[in-house]
Amino acid sequence: MKMKRVAELLAAEVCCGAELLESEVHSACGSDMMSDVLAYVKDQAVLLTGLVNPQVVRTAVMMDMRCIVFVRSKAPTPEMLALAEDSGLVVMKTSKRMYEACGVLYADGLRLSEAN
Amino acid sequence: MGEPLTFHFDVDGDNFTSAGEASLSMKKNLRQLGISPEIIRRVSIAMYEGEINMVIHAGGGTADVTVHSDRIEILLADRGPGIENIDLAMREGFSTAPENIRNLGFGAGMGLPNMKKNTDSLVVDTALGVGTTIRMTVLI
Ligand SMILES: Nc1ncnc2c1ncn2[C@@H]1O[C@H](COP(=O)(O)OP(=O)(O)OP(=O)(O)O)[C@@H](O)[C@H]1O
Ligand SMILES: [Mg+2]
């Protein structure tokens, strides 16, 4: 799925990385615990989260993720966006809650991992 | 690669916002050295977990990374409180992190087991009231 489609499905506002929206992503995960993302996630390209701090961006970079979606209209800080931009990450925010945001993407074919 | 390359980082313990800066810089260095993405990811995850631990449990410390032709060594050293029971600390789910750390997205007790999982060797040297040194090796 193109990241452009992710933004469309979630009616999300793209905060940075708009030039990367044509690239494809194949998997996603949702969590507010970065501990769990670091420990359990493998090869997920999109991180959906309600947590807002710079560690969210650094965690996504460490995991080689491509896109962060902030749910419940949580707004990333300018510092976080600068970090994301520097690492070539797309950042979006949506007013949808975690459950719905994940559900919408899952129903449209974005799964847990490419292999599943 | 001939001589090993060394990288030194000071990890600020007073500032959670900057936690992870050393790991992020190191990740960029490894990319520039042309190390494979899978190795970079394992080093990044292990170092980041260790760096966050130094910030939330030990008041900061230092990170020294050495890139050899056949392996990458990560040495994390702090003068924090030390780890009382290392066998317990290595268990998934064991954490002494307070509520405020969990609200920041950490403190699930997954860090040390994840460091072990992502490295080929992990040696912990710790003493109560003195500090903790963790040496990790990832084979290239
Ligand atoms: N550098 C350190 N100095 C002192 N204690 C430490 C240090 N690193 C880890 N510990 C102790 O070991 C426990 C387990 O660490 P681990 O990284 O596995 O979990 P955590 O940091 O509590 O949570 P998570 O890593 O999931 O965010 C910690 O809760 C803490 O009590
Ligand atoms: Mg930890």
Side-chain angles (χ1 to χ4, degrees), chain A residues 35, chain B residues 49 53 57-58 78 82-83 89 94-96 106-113:
Chain A
S35 293
Chain B
E49 293 274 21
N53 276 357
H57 304 298
D78 68 61
I83 302 173
F94 176 84
S95 175
T96 59
F106 292 89
M110 297 305 300
L112 283 168

Side-chain angles (χ1 to χ4, degrees), chain B residues 99-111:
Chain B
E99 178 73 18
N100 68 314
I101 296 298
R102 261 184 280 274
N103 291 338
L104 293 169
F106 292 89
M110 297 305 300

